[in-house]
Amino acid sequence: MKIYSFSQWVFFFYIYCFLGWLWESAYVSIKEKHLVNRGFLKGPLLPIYGSGALCVLIVTLPFRDSIPLMCLSGMAAATVLEYATGAAMEKLFHVRYWDYSDKFMNLNGHICLASALCWGVMTVLVVEVLQVYVEKLVLYFDEGVVEAVVLIITPFVTADAVTSFRAAIRLRDLLIQWERVSEEMRKLAERKQELELAIAERKSEMESVFTERKQEIETVFTERKQELEDAIKSAGEKANETLAMGVQGVSDRLVALGELPGKIAALQELTDMLAAVQEKAARLAGENELLRRMSARSIRGLLKRNPKAVSFMNKEAFDDVRKSVAKKEDRKSGAGGKKR
């Protein structure tokens, strides 16, 4: 293998990133039955393929005379690279942008037997076929031209990488926030239900006490009224005594009603607590919606480019975000269809 300059290596990297993007986009578009701009970046580059290609070109140098050893060494190196990249991205972003969990002989969903075998085949294809033509293309140009092309392309790739990285970080923050808010909302919903039951019980208790006391007072008044009428007929002095007894009886019942203010205060306290819970729930929902809107465009693009992305660290939140993005796309499609 010839000794290449740094610019030529970078140019190789970009070429294989582009070829990998062509392959992945075509494959995923056929599976999804619509065009998909596949990858972590917005542009037509897939860094994992560029990195994998350079990795196998270097690792297979001692085995160029043996196809089986070349295949095995390239397969091992690229598979290790794929696992390390996938594990690091999931750890950092809380999202798995490719997942082999449902594939035969997978390791933590980051690599699988089929993927490893594919890397082996691609190693032979890259070293024995593609690199021959890619090398001719790169060496055809003067090194100054290659450096100029690399200098022109690199700022755009860097800007794309930074933008995509920020979108992935926003998605991670959204998932964490979404999950936190969802958990708080669940707790608030439970607390709200408890308060509503408590309020209903207090109301029922107060109504029962008030009805009971009202009936007692009415009964006492009726009894005392009759006694007074009878007493008035029999003797004036006895009437005064009976009147005093009647008043005392009513007073006793009124004292019993003194329990009601405390119960009313407790009911009001529960009502205030319920209002506070509802206000906090509304505020949390508003914060969540604000964060989602602030990140919506970049996150939507990232998820569209990775339709099979999953999250095991924030699964429920990720599913909610995915559904939200899908609804948004459906509304856009519907609006576009009406316009046409």
Side-chain angles (χ1 to χ4, degrees):
M1 187 171 117
K2 295 181 177 63
I3 297 177
Y4 305 115
S5 68
F6 177 76
S7 296
Q8 288 170 333
W9 276 112
V10 176
F11 204 3
F12 287 147
F13 173 76
Y14 289 154
I15 290 173
Y16 284 113
C17 284
F18 176 69
L19 293 176
W21 174 84
L22 283 178
W23 160 253
E24 280 276 336
S25 295
Y27 177 73
V28 175
S29 294
I30 291 171
K31 287 192 69 175
E32 296 292 318
K33 297 180 181 178
H34 63 86
L35 289 175
V36 176
N37 173 22
R38 181 73 176 92
F40 185 76
L41 304 181
K42 293 180 181 179
L45 297 173
L46 269 175
I48 187 65
Y49 280 90
S51 303
L54 297 193
C55 181
V56 300
L57 284 173
I58 295 170
V59 169
T60 58
L61 280 175
F63 311 108
R64 293 296 172 86
D65 296 331
S66 172
I67 297 295
L69 289 177
M70 183 196 306
C71 178
L72 288 173
S73 61
M75 177 176 67
T79 300
V80 169
L81 175 66
E82 184 176 32
Y83 184 91
T85 303
M89 290 181 71
E90 183 174 22
K91 181 72 173 177
L92 179 61
F93 302 128
H94 290 202
V95 174
R96 191 176 293 180
Y97 286 95
W98 61 86
D99 181 41
Y100 302 128
S101 296
D102 59 340
K103 304 298 182 184
F104 177 65
M105 290 186 67
N106 74 85
L107 180 60
N108 298 327
H110 298 304
I111 56 174
C112 66
L113 179 61
S115 173
L117 293 174
C118 184
W119 279 117
V121 172
M122 289 181 68
T123 295
V124 177
L125 179 64
V126 167
V127 174
E128 295 294 319
V129 181
L130 288 178
Q131 182 60 16
V132 175
Y133 295 100
V134 172
E135 183 183 68
K136 285 181 179 179
L137 173 65
V138 174
L139 295 181
Y140 174 79
F141 297 102
D142 182 76
E143 191 168 333
V145 174
V146 173
E147 289 180 359
V149 171
V150 168
L151 285 174
I152 291 171
I153 294 175
T154 299
F156 291 100
V157 176
T158 303
D160 192 352
V162 170
T163 302
S164 299
F165 181 87
R166 290 176 62 187
I169 291 295
R170 286 195 194 102
L171 175 57
R172 181 200 66 184
D173 293 343
L174 176 61
L175 294 178
I176 294 172
Q177 172 79 347
W178 196 299
E179 198 164 83
R180 182 186 68 79
V181 169
S182 297
E183 181 61 26
E184 279 206 53
M185 292 285 280
R186 275 194 291 270
K187 290 179 180 178
L188 288 175
E190 292 174 1
R191 181 61 176 153
K192 179 184 175 184
Q193 187 175 13
E194 291 173 2
L195 289 173
E196 287 175 341
L197 288 173
I199 288 173
E201 289 175 1
R202 288 296 175 89
K203 281 184 176 179
S204 177
E205 183 182 343
M206 287 178 63
E207 289 173 357
S208 177
V209 170
F210 187 78
T211 301
E212 181 182 342
R213 297 292 184 261
K214 180 182 177 183
Q215 289 174 347
E216 288 179 3
I217 290 172
E218 288 176 348
T219 301
V220 169
F221 268 116
T222 302
E223 291 175 355
R224 296 303 180 229
K225 180 182 178 183
Q226 185 62 46
E227 289 175 5
L228 287 171
E229 289 176 351
D230 294 341
I232 290 171
K233 290 179 181 178
S234 61
E237 291 183 6
K238 287 185 178 180
N240 292 332
E241 183 182 346
T242 304
L243 177 61
M245 291 174 60
V247 170
Q248 183 61 44
V250 172
S251 298
D252 293 341
R253 296 308 188 275
L254 288 174
V255 168
L257 280 176
E259 301 173 12
L260 281 178
K263 294 182 181 295
I264 291 173
L267 176 61
Q268 185 60 49
E269 182 181 354
L270 287 173
T271 304
D272 293 342
M273 290 172 64
L274 178 59
V277 166
Q278 291 173 329
E279 182 181 351
K280 186 176 182 182
R283 179 175 56 78
L284 287 172
E287 289 178 1
N288 202 33
E289 180 64 16
L290 178 61
L291 179 60
R292 187 187 67 79
R293 287 183 177 179
M294 288 171 61
S295 311
R297 187 173 181 181
S298 58
I299 290 174
R300 190 163 64 247
L302 187 62
L303 293 179
K304 283 176 65 178
R305 296 194 298 275
N306 298 275
K308 296 300 182 182
V310 295
S311 175
F312 294 99
M313 300 176 74
N314 306 99
K315 186 178 187 307
E316 189 174 328
F318 185 82
D319 291 342
D320 288 342
V321 173
R322 174 76 81 183
K323 289 175 185 176
S324 176
V325 169
K327 288 180 182 178
K328 181 73 174 178
E329 291 302 311
D330 289 342
R331 285 197 294 270
K332 285 178 66 178
S333 299
K338 289 178 181 178
K339 288 180 181 178
R340 287 194 293 274

